């Protein structure tokens, strides 16, 4: 009997039974992680757009614009360090490339600022290939040391060339112009007069940061983002699974370079002057500290870290000479109590983490289509003592 049953099951087509319950849809809106982050991001954009209508003073808008530029830099470095796991200590070099290329094109060659944007992107791509091509074959500490050297090479080169203005840098960088209208002309909006160019740089920074956060977020969840994270977790295992690790790393490096270059161009037009002193290694360390402090690989964490690093010294300005000491103590305290960052990439909202999975009832056993057609579906609790089961003598034969 057992042999016949084995032969019947071997050749009989099998079909899984229909589920006995309807699966509930995943939580949406504020109850889910993704829905809550979308609502939080929307509120953040609304708050940024409403800030000039609340306080349009030059000091507030200038500090807010600088904070947005820091967010752009940290988002670009997060691609390199947080997603791809490449320790870059010379990231400020791409910031300098974007600032100097846009400054030279607009002051020496007379290009409009909007026409310098594609040239800045192209220059950053070339710089990323030149710097990342030979260095990304290295790993860990060796990569950090080499990128640090390239960052200093860019600064020293800008300090010794005539086209970059030498130690004095470039001044008189023009503002954005569109035909006969420029940012300096101002604009009437909802009954408010926005004069000067500071307010418009702020709105440009808001738009660029918003588009960048959305684009990089979707990119990190795509095929390329998964490849970055695989290389970050274990490069050898990723290469064994068929991922071209070198192309994956250099793509992350180029994307980070482009974001740094755009931030450099925005900073150059915002300050109207640049010099080699603006691109010291200290700024690379500060941006890296913001990424690590907020949480590597976490978009909200990087934003929080950038805001903390850029705004904390200004908020502590009343303490005069003690503000940098207090700022350092705050950083040490945060790193002690939050070693993974203020908002790590693995963070789960409390109400999502507290949700307990539902205990589902057991499904019916898999049975052959022939048996279902002859005998009908077997009940869940069918057994030797069940009257709807097969002959007990057959069951005893099978057990023997």
């Amino acid at each position: 009997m057992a042999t016949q049953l084995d032969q019947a099951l071997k050749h009989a087509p099998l079909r899984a039974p229909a589920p006995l319950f309807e699966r509930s849809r995943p939580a949406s809106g504020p109850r889910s992680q993704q829905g809550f982050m979308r609502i939080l991001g929307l509120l953040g954009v609304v708050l940024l757009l409403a800030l000039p209508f609340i306080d349009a003073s030059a000091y507030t808008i200038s500090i807010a614009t600088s904070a947005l530029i820091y967010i752009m830099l940290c988002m670009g470095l997060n691609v390199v360090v947080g997603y791809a796991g490449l320790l870059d200590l010379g990231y400020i070099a791409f910031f300098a490339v974007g600032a100097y290329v846009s400054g030279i094109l607009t002051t020496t060659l007379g290009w409009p600022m909007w026409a310098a944007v594609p040239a800045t992107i192209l220059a950053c791509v070339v710089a990323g290939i030149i710097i990342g091509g030979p260095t990304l074959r290295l790993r860990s500490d060796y990569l950090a040391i080499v990128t640090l050297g390239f960052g200093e090479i860019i600064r020293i080169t800008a300090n010794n060339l005539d086209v970059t203005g030498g130690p004095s840098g470039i001044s008189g960088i023009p503002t954005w112009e569109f035909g006969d209208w420029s940012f300096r002309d101002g604009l009437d909006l909802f009954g408010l007069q926005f004069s000067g160019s500071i307010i418009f740089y702020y709105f440009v920074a808001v738009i660029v940061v918003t588009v960048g956060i959305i684009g990089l977020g979707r990119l990190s969840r795509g095929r390329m983002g998964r490849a970055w994270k695989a290389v970050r977790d274990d490069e050898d295992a990723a290469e064994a699974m068929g991922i071209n690790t070198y192309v994956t790393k250099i793509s992350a490096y180029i994307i980070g370079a482009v974001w740094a270059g755009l931030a450099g161009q925005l900073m150059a037009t915002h300050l109207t002057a640049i010099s080699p002193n603006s691109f010291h290694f200290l700024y690379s360390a500060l941006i890296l500290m913001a990424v690590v402090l907020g949480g590597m690989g976490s978009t909200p964490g990087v934003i929080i870290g950038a805001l903390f690093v850029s705004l904390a010294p200004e908020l502590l300005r009343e303490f005069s000479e003690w503000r940098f000491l207090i700022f350092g103590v705050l950083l040490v305290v945060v790193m002690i109590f939050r070693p993974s960052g203020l908002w790590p990439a693995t963070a789960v909202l409390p109400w999502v983490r507290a949700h307990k999975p539902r205990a589902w009832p057991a499904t019916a056993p898999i049975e052959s289509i022939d048996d279902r057609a002859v005998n009908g579906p077997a009940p869940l609790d069918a057994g030797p003592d069940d009257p709807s089961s097969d002959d007990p003598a057959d069951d005893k034969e099978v057990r023997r």
Side-chain angles (χ1 to χ4, degrees):
M1 182 64 186
T3 304
Q4 297 176 358
L5 181 61
D6 291 339
Q7 292 294 330
L9 291 177
K10 182 182 296 185
H11 300 288
L14 300 178
R15 182 175 60 187
L20 301 180
F21 56 88
E22 294 184 359
R23 297 184 182 274
S24 60
R25 295 182 179 179
S28 59
R31 296 177 299 170
S32 65
Q33 182 96 1
Q34 187 175 8
F36 177 81
M37 296 308 302
R38 289 179 178 177
I39 294 175
L40 187 63
L42 181 60
L43 292 177
V45 173
V46 171
L47 180 61
L48 290 175
L49 294 176
L51 179 61
F53 300 95
I54 299 174
D55 185 1
S57 62
Y59 174 77
T60 302
I61 299 302
S62 179
I63 295 301
T65 304
S66 299
L68 290 172
I69 292 175
Y70 265 98
I71 292 177
M72 291 177 61
L73 284 171
C74 293
M75 289 297 299
L77 186 59
N78 187 44
V79 174
V80 179
V81 178
Y83 293 152
L86 306 174
L87 184 56
D88 189 356
L89 295 181
Y91 188 69
I92 200 68
F94 302 113
F95 189 60
V97 169
Y100 272 108
V101 168
S102 61
I104 292 171
L105 292 178
T106 54
T107 56
T108 304
L109 301 180
W111 287 25
M113 188 57 66
W114 59 266
V117 173
T120 300
I121 295 175
L122 180 61
C124 291
V125 171
V126 174
I129 294 174
I130 293 175
I131 298 177
T135 60
L136 292 181
R137 299 187 182 278
L138 304 174
R139 299 188 186 183
S140 65
D141 299 339
Y142 302 100
L143 176 63
I145 294 172
V146 173
T147 54
L148 171 61
F150 272 107
E152 288 299 299
I153 288 172
I154 295 294
R155 183 183 65 83
I156 294 173
T157 301
N159 195 43
N160 290 277
L161 291 179
D162 294 333
V163 68
T164 58
S168 301
I170 301 175
S171 59
I173 299 176
T175 185
W176 291 72
E177 296 180 355
F178 301 93
D180 297 332
W181 181 84
S182 68
F183 281 3
R184 292 191 181 92
D185 297 334
L187 183 68
D188 290 327
L189 190 62
F190 300 110
L192 297 177
Q193 175 67 30
F194 295 106
S195 59
S197 58
I198 297 178
I199 191 70
F200 294 102
Y201 292 131
Y202 171 79
F203 281 122
V204 170
V206 170
I207 294 173
V208 173
V209 168
T210 303
V211 174
I213 290 174
I214 296 174
L216 292 179
R218 294 183 64 87
L219 191 63
S220 67
R221 294 189 295 270
R223 181 177 180 180
M224 183 176 296
R226 293 194 298 269
W228 290 341
K229 296 172 184 177
V231 172
R232 177 196 62 189
D233 295 337
D234 194 325
E235 185 174 347
D236 295 329
E239 188 172 3
M241 294 300 295
I243 297 176
N244 191 330
T245 57
Y246 181 74
V247 174
T248 301
K249 291 191 292 184
I250 202 169
S251 64
Y253 208 68
I254 291 174
I255 291 175
V258 169
W259 277 110
L262 292 176
Q265 181 176 4
L266 185 60
M267 188 273 293
T269 56
H270 175 58
L271 301 179
T272 69
I274 54 175
S275 66
N277 293 329
S278 302
F279 309 105
H280 275 288
F281 163 72
L282 178 62
Y283 294 98
S284 290
L286 195 65
I287 298 168
L288 179 61
M289 181 173 58
V291 174
V292 176
L293 181 68
M296 293 189 297
S298 171
T299 299
V302 169
I303 295 174
I304 294 173
L307 293 177
F308 182 83
V309 169
S310 60
L311 298 181
E314 295 297 330
L315 297 177
L316 298 173
R317 186 174 290 274
E318 297 180 359
F319 296 94
S320 184
E321 298 179 356
W322 295 94
R323 60 175 179 147
F324 289 107
L325 177 61
I326 298 174
F327 176 62
V329 171
L330 289 176
L331 289 177
V332 172
V333 170
V334 170
M335 295 305 295
I336 289 175
F337 291 98
R338 298 289 296 179
S340 299
L342 296 174
W343 194 314
T346 56
V348 180
L349 297 174
W351 53 87
V352 176
R353 184 172 59 248
H355 178 70
K356 295 182 179 180
R358 177 181 173 184
W360 304 112
T363 57
I366 298 177
E367 54 189 5
S368 65
I369 296 178
D370 296 338
D371 292 341
R372 180 184 291 268
V374 175
N375 303 325
L380 288 177
D381 298 330
D385 298 333
D386 197 312
S388 61
S389 63
D390 296 332
D391 189 5
D394 295 339
D395 294 332
K396 293 179 182 178
E397 183 68 24
V398 172
R399 286 196 296 271
R400 280 201 295 268

